[in-house]
Every structure is written in structure tokens, then in C-alpha cells.
Amino acid sequence: MDHRFDVTERFAEGAQFIAGSLRSGSSGRTQDVVDPATGATVYSYELAGTADVDAAVEAARQAFPEWGGATPGERSDTLHRFAAALTEDAADLAHAESLNCGKPIKLSEEFDVPGSIDNAAFFAGAARHLEGKAAGEYSADHTSVIRREPIGVVGSIAPWNYPLQMAAWKVLPAIAAGNTIVLKPAEITPFTSLLFAQAAQRAGLPDGVLNIVSGAGRDAGERLVGHPAVAMTSFTGSTAVGKRVAEIATGTVKRLHLELGGKAPFVVFDDADLEAAVHGAVAGSLINTGQDCTAATRAYVQRPLYDAFVSGVADLMATVRLGDPFDPSTDLGPLISHTQRDRVAGFVDRARGYATVVTGGEAPGGELAKGAYYRPTLIAGAAQDSEIVQSEIFGPVLVVLPFDSDDEGIALANDTPYGLAASAWSRDVYRTGRATREINAGCVWVNDHIPILSEMPHGGAKASGFGKDMSAYSFEEYTQVKHVMYDNTGVARKDWHRTIFGDRP
């Protein structure tokens, strides 16, 4: 059913969620939210200004003592109710995400929404397992204990490509660990972050624990990162903006977690299952219209399989159906905006001067011309040091290059500034084992590309940032490790005191 989510009615009070209620922003500037499938404005709202950020941080600061002092069981119970509330809202979440982002409804319903609900269920359990080392005598005269404590107010900034999932990835480990949070979604994609916060409120999350400020990066974002009461910043977005976030965060010496850009290699060895590799490459490069920092963007194929791989991928890409995101048969939706569509087209058009566009490389005509659509694109014949190979495009574009030796394939895979994700395709366990060891990335899939799990960490290396989302490993970002040491002797004058005053007793 084509259920167009009524955002005007749902967010009539505004697109800021502070201290438990929706409100309008105070920046004096209006943001139009555009349906990328049609180019039509579906919602307008007042952007958050610095005063709104200050109010949200203050709400989070006031909520922290109670929430941070709650028992793990109490936080777990709230998160279980939160997962149930998200399940009740699943249809609205899916339709709001597709309307806001142009995602095919089958992707929203089968990937974004259930993945986010599963994250909530996972962290409901993980909240009860914030363990340190058991008490022990590491000194003959003392007992030591490790405490894991929440950091305080977290200021997080999420990107526009997966608004719901990024809200989940930012919010859930933070609050499961006892922190409070102010989340700034991308100003063009606020809908599901607001729905997420409303579901949390219905589940009994105390007011102020989760706040949403929908504002622009240069004012609301920078104020949030630099706010002296914010103890930690978690940012997902481009490497260029991540550098700016790091500069601002350094000014207040706060904890920093960065998940930045990617240019994932897809390495196909000559003994790989060719059909599986072709299907994996098309799925891995086109997910979310290629707007995924882990998407397969550089396919390196050992020369004996190269021609068949290029032909197979081109043929399969040609079958991908572009269309209305709310049509269940649509495979590929629009890019997030016409600006992003034109950016992707610019990369491809420049590549025509030094490479071959095997298939795609254009925007469709007809009714789809109103939206930010771009056809699945395969490029061959580019040099390793070319722009199309080295730069993050963030669109439905796959570049394929040949290699000869295994050494060369792995070297090419590592030859970009990024290190977020990669995949290796082979039937040989020793080959894939070597690839998983030597490819420098936060995740290396073997004979698959893209699947993520709540139980497993997500994060990168090199220019792709540092720190982990999801899994129990994310608690390393959101907790402070404290050593507590108890004297066991009851002796007033310790032997070591003589190094400061007096002689040995």
C-alpha cells in the first residue's frame, strides 16, 4: 500500500525534540525537506540555532544524574520497552524513511527498520553486561576493582544516508551505558530521528535523556561539538567534515568517535565463484543507491575472470528497476538530492576522458527525470591513481580494474586513504585468510559484501576514522574506565612512605 507519511501533521510543533517535547527552532531560518523521488517539498521547519543546542544540552545535563545512576536492569527494562515501541511504529518508520530519503520501500521495511529494532533489542540485553575486571589483589596490600561509568552528555551528529539506523547506532549504546545524549541528524533528513525519540519517550525513557536538534552543521553542529558541557562527540560523515569536528572537539579535550568515508575494495581472486561475485558486486555497490560508506566501489578482479566479471555485472545492472520508492517492485531509488545526483554525474562525466563507461552513466528521462535518479553505472579501464578510483563518489557507481598476482590485488585494495570495509572472494581458505589479515579495513567480508550484525562492531581505520558502532565493543566509546583501589592492611604508616619522608620503620 502506498502510505505517504503525513509529516506536516506529525511534526506540526516543529522538528526539535528537547526535554521530552517537540518544539520549533530558534535560528530564524527555514529548512525545506524535499522528497528526492519527486523534487517536491514535503515539510518546512525552523532550524535549530545555538540557543536550541544549549537548551538540549542543559536538558541532557539535568537528566544525567538520575539516568546515569539507574541500575543496569532499570536501563535494560526501558530499552526492551523501546524495542517494542519501535516494533509498533515499524510501518511509520519505514514510510517516513522512504519519503525522506527516496529509499525503496522494500529496503526500508526489510533492512533499515528491522535492523534498528534489533539494535534496540541487543542493547537492552547488553546494558546488563557492563563489566570490568573482577576484584583482585594485584598488590599484596590492596584490592583493585575496575568500574565502568557513563561519561556524561554525548553530542552526536548523524548523516543523511541512513537516518534511522544512524540514530540507533548513536543513541542506543550511549544510553545503555547510562549517558544522556543530544543527537543532530542531517537537517535534510530529520523525520525518523524524531519518530525514534518519540518512541523512546513512550517507552518510558526519562525526559532529557534523548534530545534531537535539527539544524545546520555550521551553527548547531559546531555548537554541539564545542559545547563545554558535552563530554563526548560521536560523528558519522565525510572525512573532510570529520577533520573539522576533530579540530573543534580538541578545543575542549572531549572523547571523540569518528566513522568517516570509505572506498571499499571488492577483491575477486581467480578461483572465486564468478556468479556469486557478480551478484555480490551489484548488490554491494547499489545498496541505498550506492550512498553507503561500506558499499563496494572498487572491484579488483584477477585477470582470468576479469572479462566475464565485467560482462556479468553490466548485464545484471541493466536489469535493476528504477522507480517510485513506494512501489514494492522498485530496486533502486533516487539519490538524496539533485545536488548529490549532479555530483555523482560529474565524477562519471570526468571519467569518460580516461576510462570506459560500460553501462549506465546517465540520469533517466520521463517521469523519473523529476527525481534525483541515476542509472547503475559500471566503469572499466581507469588507472589506479585516477579520481574515480581514489575518491568517494557516494552513488551507484562501481569501478572495475584487473590484477595479476595476489600480492598486487591486496596492494591495490590498500591503495587509498580509506580503510572502512572490504571483501575478498575465493574458494581458497588460505587466500581469504591472507586477505583478511593484510587488507587494512575495519571489516573484511569473505564471499559476501555488506551484511552487518548488532553483535559485531562497525568502524574503520586510516582516513575512515576510529572507534566502533554497535556490539559490546561500542561501550569502549561510551564508558569511562575507573580504577578503584582499597587498602587491605589498616596500617597508618606504609613502608613506601619512607620514599617521601623519614626512614624505614
Side-chain angles (χ1 to χ4, degrees):
M1 180 179 68
D2 185 355
H3 172 174
R4 303 284 176 170
F5 185 76
D6 190 348
V7 292
T8 302
E9 178 181 340
R10 189 64 177 264
F11 306 128
E13 297 93 340
Q16 318 303 325
F17 186 86
I18 300 172
S21 63
L22 288 172
R23 65 175 72 174
S24 183
S26 64
S27 70
R29 294 186 293 115
T30 301
Q31 174 70 46
D32 291 337
V33 180
V34 175
D35 176 358
T38 64
T41 297
V42 295
Y43 182 63
S44 295
Y45 70 95
E46 291 290 323
L47 286 163
T50 55
D52 303 301
V53 174
D54 290 348
V57 171
E58 178 61 17
R61 190 187 67 78
Q62 291 188 17
F64 175 67
E66 178 184 355
W67 183 248
T71 66
E74 290 168 337
R75 292 199 293 265
S76 176
D77 288 346
T78 302
L79 286 169
H80 277 299
R81 294 193 300 270
F82 189 11
L86 291 171
T87 301
E88 293 171 358
D89 290 351
D92 279 349
L93 289 165
H95 286 91
E97 195 82 333
S98 287
L99 175 64
N100 203 171
C101 304
K103 295 174 186 283
I105 191 65
K106 64 180 180 179
L107 182 66
S108 294
E109 290 180 338
E110 299 177 32
F111 184 75
D112 296 71
V113 173
S116 300
I117 294 170
D118 187 69
N119 283 170
F122 171 80
F123 280 106
R128 303 187 80 141
H129 295 280
L130 277 170
E131 297 177 352
K133 287 186 177 180
E137 286 71 47
Y138 302 98
S139 150
D141 296 334
H142 303 84
T143 295
S144 287
V145 178
I146 295 294
R147 291 175 56 89
R148 278 195 180 274
E149 298 180 343
I151 296 170
V153 178
V154 177
S156 290
I157 299 176
W160 47 254
N161 58 332
Y162 288 103
L164 176 60
Q165 290 206 61
M166 293 299 100
W169 289 15
K170 299 297 182 194
V171 171
L172 292 167
I175 65 175
N179 301 285
T180 57
I181 186 167
V182 178
L183 173 70
K184 192 198 89 64
E187 61 269 30
I188 61 174
T189 55
F191 298 158
T192 46
S193 295
L194 295 169
L195 292 176
F196 192 78
Q198 290 178 317
Q201 184 184 44
R202 288 205 328 273
L205 190 71
D207 292 348
V209 174
L210 169 56
N211 307 273
I212 308 292
V213 289
S214 304
R218 289 195 176 276
D219 41 31
E222 294 201 359
R223 176 60 177 167
L224 181 60
V225 174
H227 200 292
V230 170
M232 174 192 167
T233 290
S234 177
F235 170 80
T236 296
S238 71
T239 298
V241 177
K243 291 177 181 178
R244 175 62 179 156
V245 168
E247 290 173 359
I248 298 170
T250 300
T252 51
V253 198
K254 53 172 52 77
R255 180 81 65 91
L256 186 60
H257 165 223
L258 298 174
E259 198 266 89
L260 307 177
K263 190 70 178 174
F266 186 101
V267 183
V268 182
F269 295 100
D270 58 14
D271 66 336
D273 181 326
L274 179 62
E275 181 182 13
V278 166
H279 282 79
V282 173
S285 63
L286 300 185
I287 186 171
N288 203 36
T289 317
Q291 298 166 126
D292 186 312
C293 48
T294 64
T297 59
R298 300 178 288 140
Y300 296 104
V301 183
Q302 208 150 23
R303 209 169 292 274
L305 295 185
Y306 178 79
D307 289 340
F309 180 89
V310 171
S311 176
V313 169
D315 289 346
L316 190 54
M317 278 187 169
T319 70
V320 172
R321 300 164 295 184
L322 282 68
D324 177 0
F326 287 92
D327 184 338
S329 67
T330 292
D331 297 321
L332 196 75
L335 290 147
I336 190 65
S337 66
H338 286 81
T339 298
Q340 180 65 13
R341 191 272 312 276
D342 294 344
R343 179 180 180 274
V344 171
F347 275 104
V348 175
D349 290 343
R350 290 189 296 274
R352 297 180 198 276
Y354 56 80
T356 300
V357 177
V358 180
T359 190
E362 62 182 3
E367 276 297 305
L368 295 184
K370 297 176 183 178
Y373 290 88
Y374 198 76
R375 295 195 184 282
T377 300
L378 179 65
I379 294 175
Q384 174 66 15
D385 62 356
S386 62
E387 177 191 53
I388 203 79
V389 174
Q390 292 291 324
S391 298
E392 187 174 33
I393 301 169
F394 231 54
V397 179
L398 177 64
V399 183
V400 59
L401 297 88
F403 70 92
D404 291 305
S405 69
D406 290 14
D407 288 350
E408 181 188 13
I410 291 174
L412 290 170
N414 284 328
D415 185 28
T416 72
Y418 301 105
L420 186 58
S423 62
W425 297 74
S426 171
R427 292 182 173 93
D428 187 329
V429 66
Y430 297 106
R431 265 180 157 171
T432 57
R434 179 190 176 190
T436 61
R437 290 191 303 273
E438 296 185 12
I439 293 176
N440 190 359
C443 173
V444 181
W445 292 285
V446 176
N447 295 324
D448 207 344
H449 195 108
I450 285 297
I452 55 174
L453 300 165
S454 296
E455 291 84 356
M456 289 291 107
H458 175 86
K462 303 195 293 185
S464 293
F466 47 83
K468 300 300 180 185
D469 288 308
M470 297 197 300
S471 82
Y473 292 98
S474 65
F475 286 138
E476 300 297 330
E477 318 303 325
Y478 294 100
T479 57
Q480 179 69 42
V481 173
K482 178 186 286 185
H483 172 213
V484 179
M485 197 174 198
Y486 298 89
D487 171 60
N488 292 333
T489 66
V491 175
R493 186 176 179 185
K494 309 291 194 291
D495 184 57
W496 69 269
H497 290 177
R498 68 184 174 81
T499 62
I500 311 302
F501 63 89
D503 300 318
R504 185 186 296 273

